[in-house]
Amino acid sequence: MALAILQMDGFGVAIWWWVWVALAKMESGEWSGGGEGNEKFKMSSDSLPPLPESRIVVGCGAVALDFLTVVAAYPEPDDKIRSINFKVEGGGNAGNALTGAARLGLTPRIISKIANDPQGKGILKEFEADGINTSFLVVSEEGNSTFSYVIVDNQTKTRTCIVTLGYPPLMPSDLPLSTLLFALDGARIAYFDGWLLEAAVVIAQEVIAIYFVMLKIWQDVLNLQAARKNIPTLVDVEMEGEGFADLLKLADYAVCSEKFPQASLLFTELLIAWTEASSMPSALVSLLLRLPNLKFVIVTLGENGCIMLERSVNENPDLEEIDVDSLLETLEQRKEESVFSPTCVSSLETKLRANGIGTMCGRLFVGTAEKIPPSELTDTTGAGDAFIGAVLYAICANMPPEKMLPFAAQVAAASCRALGARSGLPHRTDPRGLDENLMAIVTAVCEQGNSEAH
């Protein structure tokens, strides 16, 4: 290893030295990986919202260890630069979303795979510290756990991720039927991320075989819960790939994540192409028409907020028919641009028409993002995962969309105020994470949901 380091340039030497020191500290227990900004500030018990009655969430997907470094500006080819900050903490879509859900008060169980290496031990230690059930986390005695180098540009507040996938991958034989039954027992909702769809684009052919294996595991779990448990499922879809439609057919809820706070048009373009729609609102109508199990779909748009389409429980043929693109324009005009906290505007239940596609009854929602002051914006890593963690909480608490979308947007914004995907995730007992208005919303909705459950 020393010889390899001597042959690197200065930037490579810095990364490897940083990784070696971080892993050594984690192995010795000197560094748990949380870093600064991870302290728990307690609120009085009187101000806490009541927890949902049913709060077990089962998540299946990516877990990783992130090595984050902050640089003044992203280096040019052959540059040698110094970092201005660094941190090691857990990552991976499913790992981040479930950590966020756990800190809000849910009881997550993670299904994934790590190796018995320093990275895997760090991943496991963080999950246990946040109260995530790791009984269904497969640990291989050989191979390596997934890890990422994350380079955060302090000037543009963007990040570049370099992912090394874990090996050996999660196999169907790792999850016998009895294990799945135990994992799903008592679950309120199941969550599946789309991390291998993203990895397939980045790492190409090596990941394709792993993706098909993971897709089979997803399908096995989803079919199992549909047949025996009747547990609703949420799927996080980051980009289109082979098997994309098969996965969505089994979902009750879908969140199409974008980068936060700067939106990428990549998924938007792919969704429109897949549904053969001419616009995003039309694509959402097409998606719900194609996938009758979907109750709602959310597309996050970074600093521009999000769009959500919710299916009506009962079709009413007497509803007024409105063009969905025109309706979105009307809702956009109703947004309060001067308000810094997240808000939501919605339509009445109506018959939505997408030209050349069809009509469906439902409601359209437009949510705004929190306006984060530039001095407070630190790192957008994992903000989409934070959003999903809050959506999982909202579903368990029976929050209506008008409350769910601002709540999820504020949790996502909180995560952007600290380095890494998890340091900024708010705790229920942390007064910095959620403002009083959002805490009041959560309290009222949880009390209403709990009374309805009885």
Side-chain angles (χ1 to χ4, degrees), residues 133-160:
N133 188 329
T134 58
S135 301
F136 311 101
L137 187 64
V138 180
V139 180
S140 171
E141 290 301 321
E142 300 179 347
N144 67 276
S145 303
T146 299
F147 63 93
S148 303
Y149 301 126
V150 183
I151 304 172
V152 180
D153 186 328
N154 197 46
Q155 182 176 357
T156 63
K157 304 299 183 181
T158 57
R159 85 284 189 273
T160 301

Side-chain angles (χ1 to χ4, degrees), residues 161-441:
C161 300
I162 307 169
V163 182
T164 299
L165 289 183
Y167 186 86
L170 186 64
M171 303 296 290
S173 57
D174 292 325
L175 297 170
L177 180 61
S178 59
T179 299
L180 295 180
L181 287 171
F182 277 119
L184 294 167
D185 184 46
R188 171 66 173 83
I189 189 170
Y191 157 64
F192 304 87
D193 70 21
W195 73 284
L196 282 171
L197 296 174
E198 179 181 9
V201 175
V202 179
I203 309 178
Q205 296 299 321
E206 288 83 353
V207 179
I208 291 178
I210 303 174
Y211 167 72
F212 283 117
V213 169
M214 195 64 182
L215 180 61
K216 184 180 187 308
I217 292 171
W218 279 338
Q219 290 173 327
D220 287 346
V221 176
L222 287 165
N223 287 329
L224 179 66
Q225 62 82 15
R228 304 188 181 204
K229 296 287 185 180
N230 196 30
I231 302 168
T233 59
L234 183 146
V235 173
D236 169 17
V237 185
E238 291 198 338
M239 61 178 64
E240 191 246 0
E242 191 168 355
F244 170 80
D246 293 333
L247 185 59
L248 281 177
K249 285 176 184 177
L250 301 168
D252 296 275
Y253 313 102
V255 178
C256 309
S257 301
E258 294 276 7
K259 294 178 181 178
F260 186 100
Q262 292 185 328
S264 164
L265 294 178
L266 177 59
F267 183 81
T268 302
E269 294 170 353
L270 288 169
L271 181 59
I272 291 173
W274 184 72
T275 57
E276 299 178 349
S278 58
S279 66
M280 174 54 69
S282 296
L284 298 183
V285 171
S286 178
L287 201 60
L288 290 183
L289 288 174
R290 285 183 177 214
L291 305 169
N293 288 335
L294 270 184
K295 295 179 175 63
F296 70 64
V297 59
I298 301 172
V299 176
T300 58
L301 303 170
E303 64 183 359
N304 296 316
C306 65
I307 302 172
M308 172 178 166
L309 181 59
E310 180 185 47
R311 187 192 305 276
S312 296
V313 176
N314 299 309
E315 295 281 332
N316 184 352
D318 298 326
L319 290 174
E320 179 185 3
E321 185 174 302
I322 300 178
D323 177 74
V324 68
D325 291 305
S326 299
L327 180 59
L328 177 61
E329 292 179 5
T330 300
L331 295 179
E332 291 282 358
Q333 293 171 2
R334 287 171 50 194
K335 290 195 305 186
E336 299 181 53
E337 299 293 346
S338 60
V339 177
F340 281 79
S341 296
T343 60
C344 177
V345 294
S346 63
S347 70
L348 298 174
E349 184 178 356
T350 189
K351 184 180 292 184
L352 300 167
R353 180 183 69 253
N355 293 328
I357 294 173
T359 61
M360 60 156 289
C361 293
R363 297 178 68 197
L364 190 65
F365 301 82
V366 174
T368 65
E370 181 173 334
K371 293 180 173 63
I372 306 174
S375 60
E376 297 180 16
L377 179 59
T378 301
D379 179 20
T380 61
T381 302
D385 304 329
F387 185 96
I388 289 176
V391 169
L392 291 170
Y393 181 94
I395 292 172
C396 291
N398 299 314
M399 273 190 202
E402 295 91 339
K403 309 300 182 185
M404 174 180 69
L405 296 182
F407 173 68
Q410 194 178 40
V411 171
S415 76
C416 293
R417 288 177 161 89
L419 179 60
R422 301 184 187 174
S423 292
L425 291 173
H427 294 262
R428 291 183 72 250
T429 52
D430 184 352
R432 302 169 306 164
L434 301 174
D435 65 27
E436 293 180 359
N437 292 332
L438 264 293
M439 290 296 288
I441 287 172

Side-chain angles (χ1 to χ4, degrees), residues 23-219:
L23 290 177
K25 287 187 176 184
M26 292 184 69
E27 183 76 20
S28 66
E30 181 181 345
W31 189 359
S32 65
E36 70 277 14
N38 203 30
E39 303 88 351
K40 298 181 181 179
F41 292 82
K42 301 294 184 182
M43 296 174 66
S44 67
S45 58
D46 295 337
S47 62
L48 294 177
L51 288 166
E53 288 287 322
S54 180
R55 52 183 181 269
I56 296 175
V57 54
V58 179
C60 179
V63 300
L65 195 67
D66 289 347
F67 298 90
L68 300 114
T69 184
V70 182
V71 296
Y74 194 82
E76 297 290 336
D78 292 328
D79 268 359
K80 294 182 180 180
I81 63 174
R82 292 184 178 183
S83 65
I84 57 178
N85 195 5
F86 73 94
K87 178 183 287 187
V88 180
E89 70 174 12
N93 293 27
N96 297 335
L98 293 184
T99 298
R103 293 186 185 180
L104 291 171
L106 298 187
T107 306
R109 299 168 181 167
I110 180 70
I111 298 175
S112 191
K113 190 169 187 176
I114 59 175
N116 187 22
D117 58 3
Q119 297 99 302
K121 291 175 182 177
I123 293 168
L124 188 61
K125 189 172 183 179
E126 282 200 38
F127 282 152
E128 292 173 345
D130 276 302
I132 296 173
N133 188 329
T134 58
S135 301
F136 311 101
L137 187 64
V138 180
V139 180
S140 171
E141 290 301 321
E142 300 179 347
N144 67 276
S145 303
T146 299
F147 63 93
S148 303
Y149 301 126
V150 183
I151 304 172
V152 180
D153 186 328
N154 197 46
Q155 182 176 357
T156 63
K157 304 299 183 181
T158 57
R159 85 284 189 273
T160 301
C161 300
I162 307 169
V163 182
T164 299
L165 289 183
Y167 186 86
L170 186 64
M171 303 296 290
S173 57
D174 292 325
L175 297 170
L177 180 61
S178 59
T179 299
L180 295 180
L181 287 171
F182 277 119
L184 294 167
D185 184 46
R188 171 66 173 83
I189 189 170
Y191 157 64
F192 304 87
D193 70 21
W195 73 284
L196 282 171
L197 296 174
E198 179 181 9
V201 175
V202 179
I203 309 178
Q205 296 299 321
E206 288 83 353
V207 179
I208 291 178
I210 303 174
Y211 167 72
F212 283 117
V213 169
M214 195 64 182
L215 180 61
K216 184 180 187 308
I217 292 171
W218 279 338
Q219 290 173 327

